[in-house]
Amino acid sequence: MRIALVGTENSHADEIVRHLNVDQISEQARVVALAGADDERNRKLAAAGGITRIVPTSQELLGDVDALIVTNRDGALHREHAVPFLEAGVPVWVDKPLAASTADAQAILDAARRGGAPVTSYSAVRWVADADELANAQVDDLQAVTITGPADPDSEYSGIFFYGIHAADLAQRLAPGEPGPVQVERVGSTVVVRYRCDGVLVTLQLVKPTDDGRVPFHAELVGRTALVSRDVRLDSEYVVPGLQVFLRMLETRERPLDDASMLAPITVLEQV
C-alpha cells in the first residue's frame, strides 16, 4: 500500500514514517510521498524514511497512492486535504481532530460516502493500553466520567481543538453516545466542560500547559458500586496502536468508528 502523508509539521508524522518505513511494523504499507514545502524539515523526514517524492500539494498525489494520512496540527486544514481523496475512493486517516468545525467534519464524512471510501479519525490516546483497560473496566451502572488533559484555548491551531481532542475523544470511547448541551467555565488556567452522554455525566478538565511543563492525561470512572481512577500514559510507541487500527482499515476496508463516534468530540469542542 502506497501511503501519502500531508501535515508534516506535526510530530506524529515523524512517528508514522519511523514505524512504517524504518521499523516496518507492516509488510504491506509504506509512506511513499510527502505533501508540503520542499524544506529542510521535509527533506530530513524523507531521508529518514527513504521517501523520494515531496510535492507542494496533496492533490498532486491523487491517482499515485493507495491511501492518505492527514496529520496537520490545524484541524481547519483537514477538509481540503481529505475530501478530494475520499471522493476519488481513496481511504483516508485524519489524525485528530477530524476537523475544527462540525460542518467540516460532516463534509469529510459525506465525501467518504460519495466516494465509497473508508475514512477514520481519532486521537492516539483512544487506543493506548491504559485506555483499553479503562474501557474494559468492570464499572457497574456507570454514572460519571472525568478526563483531565492538556489544551490551550488560545492555540494557533484552531484553539481548543488541537490538544482538547485527546480528552474529548477518550471521553467518547468511555462514555459513548450523543453528547447533550455543553456547559463551560474557566477556573484559572483550566477550561472545565460538562455535558451528559446517554445519561452519563462527562467532565473534561482541559489544563493549559506551561512552557516547560506537561499536563498528564488522567481518567476517572464512577459507577454505582465501583470507582476506577488512573493516569493514561503515553510511551515512546504511543502512536503505534492507532496506526495499527488504520492499517486494519486498509486491509478490511471496514471503518473502526462510525460517523456518530467521530462527530461527537467535534461537536463538543465546537460548543466549548
Side-chain angles (χ1 to χ4, degrees):
M1 298 289 288
R2 302 163 300 166
I3 299 173
L5 184 61
V6 61
T8 54
E9 77 280 1
N10 193 336
S11 62
H12 282 191
D14 300 77
E15 296 300 311
I16 291 166
V17 169
R18 175 168 72 90
H19 293 307
L20 287 181
N21 291 28
V22 182
D23 299 343
Q24 298 187 6
I25 65 170
S26 167
E27 295 181 355
Q28 284 79 37
R30 297 287 182 275
V31 177
V32 300
L34 306 176
D38 187 9
D39 55 14
E40 183 180 3
R41 158 72 174 159
N42 279 338
R43 287 193 293 270
K44 285 184 176 179
L45 187 60
I51 299 165
T52 59
R53 191 172 183 192
I54 302 174
V55 299
T57 66
S58 58
Q59 292 193 39
E60 293 182 45
L61 298 169
L62 272 170
D64 294 337
V65 296
D66 305 305
L68 175 70
I69 301 175
V70 182
T71 62
N72 305 84
R73 287 179 173 177
D74 190 348
L77 301 174
H78 291 173
R79 177 179 179 174
E80 67 178 85
H81 293 302
V83 165
F85 283 81
L86 292 168
E87 289 181 332
V90 179
V92 175
W93 170 27
V94 182
D95 175 32
K96 72 91 186 160
L98 177 59
S101 70
T102 302
D104 278 1
Q106 188 63 62
I108 292 171
L109 299 174
D110 290 345
R113 187 159 42 252
R114 289 194 301 272
V119 63
T120 197
S121 181
Y122 41 77
S123 157
V125 177
R126 171 184 270 267
W127 305 113
V128 298
D130 287 334
D132 285 344
E133 291 194 19
L134 285 161
N136 294 325
Q138 300 300 311
V139 180
D140 179 51
D141 191 13
L142 185 64
Q143 312 272 307
V145 170
T146 299
I147 309 293
T148 302
D152 180 2
D154 302 314
S155 168
E156 62 183 304
Y157 306 117
S158 293
I160 206 78
F161 279 91
F162 178 47
Y163 261 101
I165 188 63
H166 291 302
D169 193 36
L170 179 58
Q172 176 64 18
R173 181 179 183 188
L174 301 179
E178 183 176 354
V182 170
Q183 297 179 333
V184 182
E185 65 176 311
R186 293 190 71 152
V187 182
S189 61
T190 301
V191 177
V192 181
V193 183
R194 295 186 181 90
Y195 57 93
R196 292 186 179 273
C197 204
D198 284 2
V200 176
L201 176 62
V202 177
T203 301
L204 308 180
Q205 298 179 144
L206 306 176
V207 184
K208 185 174 181 177
T210 62
D211 292 338
D212 57 354
R214 294 178 62 89
V215 177
F217 290 99
H218 187 87
E220 182 176 89
L221 283 66
V222 178
R224 186 179 181 190
T225 60
L227 180 149
V228 176
S229 180
R230 68 178 304 150
D231 287 342
V232 180
R233 298 160 296 181
L234 307 182
D235 61 20
S236 62
E237 308 294 295
Y238 78 99
V239 173
V240 171
L243 181 53
Q244 290 173 329
V245 169
F246 169 62
L247 293 174
R248 283 195 295 274
M249 186 185 80
L250 293 185
E251 181 181 353
T252 65
R253 294 190 69 86
E254 294 180 1
R255 299 187 306 165
L257 300 173
D258 60 18
D259 283 9
S261 297
M262 289 187 277
L263 279 172
I266 305 303
T267 61
V268 167
L269 292 175
E270 186 172 55
Q271 292 180 71
V272 175

